[in-house]
Amino acid sequence: MNGNQRSVPPATAVRLVAQRELNTRLRTRGFVVGTLVILAVMVGYLLLQANLFNRENTTTVGLTGQAAAIAEPLRAGAGQVGMELQVERVPSAAQGSAQVSEGELDVLVAGSPANLRVTVESELDAPLRALLNGISRQEVLDAKLVEAGQVPAEVMSEVNAARVQVSTLEQPDPAPGQRTVVALVMLFLLYMGITSYGSLVAQGIVEEKSSRVVEILLSTVRPWHLLLGKVIGLGLVGLTQLFIIGVAGLAMASATGVLTITGVATTTLLWGLLWYILGFFLYATVFAAAGSLVSRQEDMQAVLTPVTIVLLIGFITGFTVIQEPDGTLAVVLSLVPLLSPILMPGRIATGAAGGLEIAVALVLTLAAITALTWLGGRVYRAAVLRTGSRVRLTDALRG
Amino acid sequence: MLDRTLVLDRLSKRFGEVVALDAVSFDVRPGELFGFVGSNGAGKTTAMRIVLGVLAADSGEVRFDGRPVTYEMRTRIGYMPEERGLYPKMKVLDQLVYLAQLHGLAPNEAHRSAETWIARLGLAERRHDEVQKLSLGNQQRVQLAAALVHDPDVLVLDEPFSGLDPIAVDVMSQVLREKAATGVPVVFSSHQLDLVERLCDRVGIIRSGRMVAAGTVDELTEGAATQLTVTAPQAPPGWAAALPGVHVVSENGTSTVVELSPGADDQTVLEAALATGPVREFTRRRPPLTELFRNAVTQGSEQ
């Protein structure tokens, strides 16, 4: 007999419960496979994009005979107009033609610099035509300048110094399309993350109820500690997954050149992580309360449906909101506390959300979290020990 | 009240119209095995859940060591609920360590204690298996280990023997006896009355939320009618019928079974038998708890 009193401090109880959730979930096949599948889909998508991107934008030019002399000016000219050009030397015109018809070369250039002859499969695209014309003209111009007793290089340096001056009225948006894609990806990840990890909270509670572990747990831990530990634990698991997917996705998209607005995407990811935390806490206790009403996994779907439908509404309206992020509808919807965590990050990504709007959404969401956590905790405490048939929400609220 | 005694003092609980417990009182003394028996729905589980604080009583109080049982004190109780009470997908060792830590053990202590009980209950080869993959008997052992892993000062077990094979019953009985021998009050409910009679120091019988009897098996059976078996070869038929306070149950050849009313003297019967000639057998038979239980329950329903 030791007779010592070894009660567990609340913080320790919450930590132990959260740790169990982390340990059991992070190590499950479900988590690892789920994360890998999402990453694999992402890699596949990006490789496809990058490949299409390269095919579309890189033109392979073969030079043969005298035309080999234009390799340097061709590369320089392409660089100036932002054209992806690969220049190769081809031993003979016949071989070059064969390569063009086989698709190995896009363009074959022969003839003297002043009189270039171009072979293509069907048509020569306009920028390259302009570039080649420019080189030919330069050649002719140089010859004429020499005839007139001028030094071509001197004249050209003066000519090249002449430039247009550009003034912009609005800040340029380098890639509006990319912003939309980033916003859509964030919308999808947040919807999936909150729905799946919220459901896991409910599922865990039903598991504890149906196996009666909850009786043993609640004989030593208070309901609040158990609930909080569970929510924190699962929230961290979801955050870890979102973080892995976000960082990996960002890195891959930047590396493959599909994404050029890395700064915007990074900011979006950081906002996304914050909104995930808020959204998860907002919904977790609601999921927990719903789960605590039933004692069997089979009955769970029925009580979770109302909650998942709200999330689904957020997800579906998200597409409209991202297409038109400045509209009144988008502004109003993204300020509704239950929808903010899903809609706001998308609007932030498109650059449409002002600082004040974001601040209001944050305050409203925090208030909603406080209210729903109180309510959810109350239902959970009242219902979690009532095994058997489904507990009515009104009975649970009455305590 | 004695030190380290678990006292249930006039516990009452209603579920809507149903009275689950009506002023139920009994105590379990240190080092004692207390058997809690009653038919299904009599209120055993409700009473135990109130002791654990999983359920709140409408009135009445649970005390241990002379003080009301508080939340802090409950971590010192070992509890085994009736149905499972373990995470089906958690491994045996992890589960026990987790529960030990939740009851206030430091990680090292928790590991040591979990390993000790795993070895003691013959689960060593199963320690890294998920609970749901174990046989029911083994799950029950894990369940017992979960109740014992934090070295509790009180043990409350709901139907610990149900579904166990005879060997597991022996292991379980031995562990409970040993635990009680260290001065821990142990209370368990059971339907297996022969087992309760063999194992328990004291027994409480509950019917429809009320205690109908509590005491040692001897105390409970003392007041009840005693049966005698007498073998007197030369005794004429009906030799015992006229004796005071004696009721003949059966006469089978030379053997006669009689029932004594409370207070009747068995020596009068022996003298009467000897008067007829030699007596080959004279056995006093105490009615088993099963009969007592049946009587307690049926008497109750006639009220």
mmCIF file of all heavy atoms in Angstrom, chain B residues 196-210:
data_model
loop_
_atom_site.group_PDB
_atom_site.id
_atom_site.type_symbol
_atom_site.label_atom_id
_atom_site.label_comp_id
_atom_site.label_asym_id
_atom_site.label_seq_id
_atom_site.Cartn_x
_atom_site.Cartn_y
_atom_site.Cartn_z
ATOM 1 N N VAL B 196 -18.692 -16.873 -6.372
ATOM 2 C CA VAL B 196 -18.778 -15.824 -5.361
ATOM 3 C C VAL B 196 -18.693 -16.459 -3.968
ATOM 4 O O VAL B 196 -17.971 -15.981 -3.094
ATOM 5 C CB VAL B 196 -20.101 -15.048 -5.525
ATOM 6 C CG1 VAL B 196 -20.312 -14.088 -4.361
ATOM 7 C CG2 VAL B 196 -20.108 -14.283 -6.833
ATOM 8 N N GLU B 197 -19.400 -17.550 -3.803
ATOM 9 C CA GLU B 197 -19.424 -18.217 -2.495
ATOM 10 C C GLU B 197 -18.040 -18.715 -2.112
ATOM 11 O O GLU B 197 -17.603 -18.601 -0.976
ATOM 12 C CB GLU B 197 -20.405 -19.395 -2.561
ATOM 13 C CG GLU B 197 -20.605 -20.071 -1.230
ATOM 14 C CD GLU B 197 -21.743 -21.082 -1.274
ATOM 15 O OE1 GLU B 197 -22.215 -21.384 -2.394
ATOM 16 O OE2 GLU B 197 -22.154 -21.555 -0.216
ATOM 17 N N ARG B 198 -17.325 -19.266 -3.104
ATOM 18 C CA ARG B 198 -16.011 -19.826 -2.845
ATOM 19 C C ARG B 198 -14.988 -18.731 -2.565
ATOM 20 O O ARG B 198 -14.089 -18.875 -1.762
ATOM 21 C CB ARG B 198 -15.586 -20.606 -4.098
ATOM 22 C CG ARG B 198 -14.682 -21.772 -3.818
ATOM 23 C CD ARG B 198 -14.533 -22.617 -5.058
ATOM 24 N NE ARG B 198 -13.888 -21.912 -6.144
ATOM 25 C CZ ARG B 198 -14.272 -21.986 -7.411
ATOM 26 N NH1 ARG B 198 -15.327 -22.701 -7.739
ATOM 27 N NH2 ARG B 198 -13.625 -21.331 -8.357
ATOM 28 N N LEU B 199 -15.138 -17.612 -3.268
ATOM 29 C CA LEU B 199 -14.091 -16.599 -3.292
ATOM 30 C C LEU B 199 -14.286 -15.481 -2.276
ATOM 31 O O LEU B 199 -13.323 -14.971 -1.711
ATOM 32 C CB LEU B 199 -14.076 -15.996 -4.717
ATOM 33 C CG LEU B 199 -12.837 -15.308 -5.206
ATOM 34 C CD1 LEU B 199 -11.677 -16.286 -5.219
ATOM 35 C CD2 LEU B 199 -13.083 -14.781 -6.624
ATOM 36 N N CYS B 200 -15.545 -15.115 -2.034
ATOM 37 C CA CYS B 200 -15.775 -13.861 -1.328
ATOM 38 C C CYS B 200 -15.812 -14.009 0.178
ATOM 39 O O CYS B 200 -16.275 -15.017 0.706
ATOM 40 C CB CYS B 200 -17.094 -13.250 -1.784
ATOM 41 S SG CYS B 200 -16.989 -12.670 -3.448
ATOM 42 N N ASP B 201 -15.336 -12.955 0.837
ATOM 43 C CA ASP B 201 -15.463 -12.903 2.284
ATOM 44 C C ASP B 201 -16.875 -12.501 2.647
ATOM 45 O O ASP B 201 -17.452 -13.015 3.595
ATOM 46 C CB ASP B 201 -14.470 -11.889 2.853
ATOM 47 C CG ASP B 201 -13.054 -12.224 2.456
ATOM 48 O OD1 ASP B 201 -12.602 -13.324 2.805
ATOM 49 O OD2 ASP B 201 -12.424 -11.399 1.766
ATOM 50 N N ARG B 202 -17.394 -11.554 1.893
ATOM 51 C CA ARG B 202 -18.761 -11.118 2.154
ATOM 52 C C ARG B 202 -19.511 -10.934 0.835
ATOM 53 O O ARG B 202 -18.908 -10.752 -0.206
ATOM 54 C CB ARG B 202 -18.761 -9.808 2.946
ATOM 55 C CG ARG B 202 -18.255 -10.028 4.383
ATOM 56 C CD ARG B 202 -18.653 -8.897 5.292
ATOM 57 N NE ARG B 202 -18.277 -7.620 4.723
ATOM 58 C CZ ARG B 202 -19.061 -6.540 4.760
ATOM 59 N NH1 ARG B 202 -20.260 -6.602 5.321
ATOM 60 N NH2 ARG B 202 -18.648 -5.401 4.235
ATOM 61 N N VAL B 203 -20.813 -10.967 0.960
ATOM 62 C CA VAL B 203 -21.656 -10.918 -0.233
ATOM 63 C C VAL B 203 -22.772 -9.918 -0.007
ATOM 64 O O VAL B 203 -23.298 -9.806 1.112
ATOM 65 C CB VAL B 203 -22.280 -12.321 -0.499
ATOM 66 C CG1 VAL B 203 -23.193 -12.280 -1.725
ATOM 67 C CG2 VAL B 203 -21.194 -13.359 -0.690
ATOM 68 N N GLY B 204 -23.133 -9.181 -1.039
ATOM 69 C CA GLY B 204 -24.304 -8.310 -0.972
ATOM 70 C C GLY B 204 -25.261 -8.703 -2.087
ATOM 71 O O GLY B 204 -24.827 -8.956 -3.211
ATOM 72 N N ILE B 205 -26.518 -8.783 -1.766
ATOM 73 C CA ILE B 205 -27.501 -9.137 -2.794
ATOM 74 C C ILE B 205 -28.395 -7.934 -3.040
ATOM 75 O O ILE B 205 -28.928 -7.339 -2.099
ATOM 76 C CB ILE B 205 -28.362 -10.353 -2.362
ATOM 77 C CG1 ILE B 205 -27.446 -11.558 -2.076
ATOM 78 C CG2 ILE B 205 -29.379 -10.703 -3.430
ATOM 79 C CD1 ILE B 205 -28.179 -12.778 -1.564
ATOM 80 N N ILE B 206 -28.554 -7.582 -4.308
ATOM 81 C CA ILE B 206 -29.367 -6.432 -4.655
ATOM 82 C C ILE B 206 -30.529 -6.914 -5.524
ATOM 83 O O ILE B 206 -30.384 -7.828 -6.333
ATOM 84 C CB ILE B 206 -28.524 -5.359 -5.384
ATOM 85 C CG1 ILE B 206 -29.319 -4.066 -5.589
ATOM 86 C CG2 ILE B 206 -27.978 -5.870 -6.704
ATOM 87 C CD1 ILE B 206 -28.477 -2.891 -6.041
ATOM 88 N N ARG B 207 -31.709 -6.337 -5.267
ATOM 89 C CA ARG B 207 -32.864 -6.676 -6.097
ATOM 90 C C ARG B 207 -33.636 -5.411 -6.393
ATOM 91 O O ARG B 207 -33.964 -4.660 -5.471
ATOM 92 C CB ARG B 207 -33.774 -7.658 -5.345
ATOM 93 C CG ARG B 207 -34.850 -8.268 -6.222
ATOM 94 C CD ARG B 207 -35.809 -9.078 -5.395
ATOM 95 N NE ARG B 207 -36.615 -8.210 -4.547
ATOM 96 C CZ ARG B 207 -37.673 -7.520 -4.973
ATOM 97 N NH1 ARG B 207 -38.048 -7.604 -6.228
ATOM 98 N NH2 ARG B 207 -38.354 -6.749 -4.151
ATOM 99 N N SER B 208 -33.883 -5.135 -7.650
ATOM 100 C CA SER B 208 -34.618 -3.950 -8.084
ATOM 101 C C SER B 208 -34.139 -2.678 -7.380
ATOM 102 O O SER B 208 -34.942 -1.888 -6.898
ATOM 103 C CB SER B 208 -36.105 -4.120 -7.822
ATOM 104 O OG SER B 208 -36.553 -5.313 -8.373
ATOM 105 N N GLY B 209 -32.833 -2.512 -7.308
ATOM 106 C CA GLY B 209 -32.297 -1.276 -6.757
ATOM 107 C C GLY B 209 -32.235 -1.228 -5.237
ATOM 108 O O GLY B 209 -31.896 -0.205 -4.657
ATOM 109 N N ARG B 210 -32.603 -2.347 -4.568
ATOM 110 C CA ARG B 210 -32.511 -2.352 -3.102
ATOM 111 C C ARG B 210 -31.634 -3.486 -2.628
ATOM 112 O O ARG B 210 -31.679 -4.589 -3.168
ATOM 113 C CB ARG B 210 -33.901 -2.588 -2.496
ATOM 114 C CG ARG B 210 -34.767 -1.391 -2.557
ATOM 115 C CD ARG B 210 -35.980 -1.667 -1.753
ATOM 116 N NE ARG B 210 -36.949 -0.612 -1.956
ATOM 117 C CZ ARG B 210 -38.120 -0.601 -1.368
ATOM 118 N NH1 ARG B 210 -38.461 -1.586 -0.567
ATOM 119 N NH2 ARG B 210 -38.947 0.392 -1.592
#
